[in-house]
């Protein structure tokens, strides 16, 4: 079905914008862009920035086709479908004379996509994103996770930073036992610093933050340095024990439980021979290697992490859990109460409908070849759900556009579970 663009001032500017995005990349220039935008807009967003943003969107998503449209006398919102079969919204406002005074690209927008409304539609689409895809929508029913829709939900997958849920659990348990408090201070130590993501690696050694602040940084911005400080604070064995306490099906997969610094050293600093020796070693030998061989090795350079684009040993050298394991971890974290729930809800991961889900807790994880998204959700009818989705490809990085689009569609489907 062809959607006609209205012959209104806003519609004409939308037609120009879509023509620009679908046209040759070299046509997106400041000379082309500047005459279409109001001076008030360009004061906030310079023409060069507009060009950069439009060019990036065109490279990633074009060609675009309009599949839905709403309008007012001074605005138009178009739902567009991209070449990757994902949908976005483009909201455009005009002033007088008819120049663009507001422009917002929002997405993904699977709520406007009839092709991802049911699990029968979603399952095959999810499976096509990567060679290995594992997913579950599960309801937290009393003291168990009850699967509603599942795709290899009991099969372990690489987690990326989603492993930090277990570190948060071990910290919350230590505090529950009265051995620490959320407002207790912990000092930054150079030997505990890791590579980004995060910001605490830039803090001065000796500076102190509360355990609450470390936990918030670890979950909300996936701060690796915060994670390693907390992992050392509670102790490696405590995190290993917490896996079993949460009901991890195969906790031995993560023994010894690596810090992010150790993972970076093994993946970016060790030789292929050294990495293989670690992977094939048993738990006791791995502990010895970490203590004797890797504890004093320097952290790899930030440049080496930035240049890291291809998957490295994601089937052997990672943190691992199944989607159902993550559901059980969310269930266990929920039982710790308000402070833990507050930490989990700082970053929703994607734009989730707060009317549908008044509480959204989230932790994701990624590295080349790995993408994991895991939510704890309280629906408006006070039913609790966990949604966990993992994508893995040992040959190439995951295309985030399709993965995030379908993951959000899975969350939205959770809102319609009877």
């Amino acid at each position: 079905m062809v959607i006609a663009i209205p012959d209104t001032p806003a519609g004409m500017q939308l037609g120009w914008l879509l023509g620009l995005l679908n046209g040759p990349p070299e046509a997106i220039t400041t000379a082309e862009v500047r005459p279409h935008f109001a001076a008030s807009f360009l004061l906030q967003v310079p023409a060069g920035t507009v060009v950069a943003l439009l060019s990036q969107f065109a490279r990633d998503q074009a060609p675009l086709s309009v599949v839905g449209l709403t309008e007012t006398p001074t605005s138009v919102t178009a739902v567009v479908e991209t070449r990757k079969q994902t949908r976005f919204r483009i909201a455009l406002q005009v002033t007088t004379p008819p120049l663009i005074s507001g422009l917002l690209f929002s997405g993904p927008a699977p709520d406007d996509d009839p092709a991802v409304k049911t699990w029968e539609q979603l399952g095959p689409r999810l499976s096509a994103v990567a060679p290995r895809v594992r997913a579950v929508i599960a309801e937290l029913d009393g003291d168990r996770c009850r699967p509603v829709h599942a795709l290899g939900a009991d099969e372990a997958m690489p987690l990326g930073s989603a492993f930090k849920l277990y570190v948060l659990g071990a910290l919350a348990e230590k505090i529950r036992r009265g051995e620490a408090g959320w407002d207790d201070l912990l000092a930054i130590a150079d030997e505990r610093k890791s590579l980004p993501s995060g910001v605490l690696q830039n803090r001065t050694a000796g500076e102190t933050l509360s355990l609450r602040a470390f936990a918030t940084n670890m979950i909300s911005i996936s701060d690796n340095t915060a994670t390693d400080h907390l992992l050392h604070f509670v102790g490696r064995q405590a995190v290993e024990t917490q896996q079993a306490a949460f009901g991890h099906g195969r906790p031995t997969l993560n023994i010894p439980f690596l810090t992010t610094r150790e993972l970076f050293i093994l993946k970016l600093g060790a030789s292929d021979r050294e990495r293989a020796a670690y992977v094939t070693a048993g738990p006791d030998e791995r502990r010895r290697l970490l203590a004797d061989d890797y504890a004093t090795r320097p952290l790899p350079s930030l440049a080496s992490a930035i240049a890291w684009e291809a998957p490295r040993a994601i089937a052997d050298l990672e943190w691992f859990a199944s989607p159902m394991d993550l559901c059980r971890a969310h269930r266990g974290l929920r039982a710790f109460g308000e402070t833990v729930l507050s930490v989990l809800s700082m970053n929703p991961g994607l734009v989730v409908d707060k009317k549908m889900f008044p509480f959204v807790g989230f932790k994701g994880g990624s590295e080349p070849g790995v993408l994991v998204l895991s939510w704890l959700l309280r629906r408006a009818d006070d039913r609790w759900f966990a949604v966990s989705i993992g994508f893995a490809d040992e040959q190439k990085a995951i295309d985030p556009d399709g993965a995030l689009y379908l993951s959000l569609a899975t969350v939205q489907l959770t809102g319609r579970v009877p």
Side-chain angles (χ1 to χ4, degrees), residues 110 116 119 122 126 135-137 149 357 375 377 387-389 403-417:
V116 291
W119 183 254
L122 265 176
L126 284 166
V136 73
I137 297 173
H149 298 297
F357 297 106
W375 285 273
L377 304 164
V387 176
S388 294
I389 309 167
L404 297 178
Y405 182 79
L406 295 172
S407 297
L408 183 55
T410 306
V411 171
Q412 291 169 349
L413 176 61
T414 306
R416 299 190 296 274
V417 169

Side-chain angles (χ1 to χ4, degrees), residues 156-160 163 166 231 236-237 239-241 243-244 248-259 278 283 286-287 290 316-322 325-326:
M157 59 186 179
L159 293 180
F163 82 89
Y166 292 106
L231 206 159
R236 197 192 304 267
Q237 187 172 356
V239 182
E240 293 168 356
T241 299
Q243 295 181 100
H248 194 299
R250 297 177 62 193
T252 54
L253 291 174
N254 299 319
I255 295 178
F257 204 98
L258 292 169
T259 66
Y278 181 86
R286 286 185 176 190
R287 290 189 195 279
L290 293 177
D316 304 303
L317 189 55
E318 249 285 348
W319 302 273
F320 299 93
S322 72
D325 291 331
L326 291 179

Side-chain angles (χ1 to χ4, degrees), residues 70-81:
T70 57
E71 59 176 315
T72 73
T74 60
S75 70
V76 62
T77 299
V79 179
V80 297
E81 188 163 278

Side-chain angles (χ1 to χ4, degrees), residues 29-31 33-35 37 41-43 45-54:
T29 64
T30 55
V33 162
R34 189 176 286 112
F37 285 85
F41 184 96
L42 295 176
L43 280 173
V45 187
T49 302
V50 175
V51 167
L53 295 172
L54 295 181

Side-chain angles (χ1 to χ4, degrees), residues 333-348:
L333 288 167
R334 184 185 68 159
F336 283 115
E338 182 179 347
T339 298
V340 169
L341 290 176
S342 176
V343 169
L344 283 172
S345 64
M346 295 293 292
N347 178 0

Side-chain angles (χ1 to χ4, degrees), residues 40 47 51 73 81 98 104 141 156 161-162 168 206 287 305 325 370:
S40 59
V51 167
E81 188 163 278
L104 176 66
D141 185 7
S161 285
L168 178 61
R287 290 189 195 279
D325 291 331
V370 175

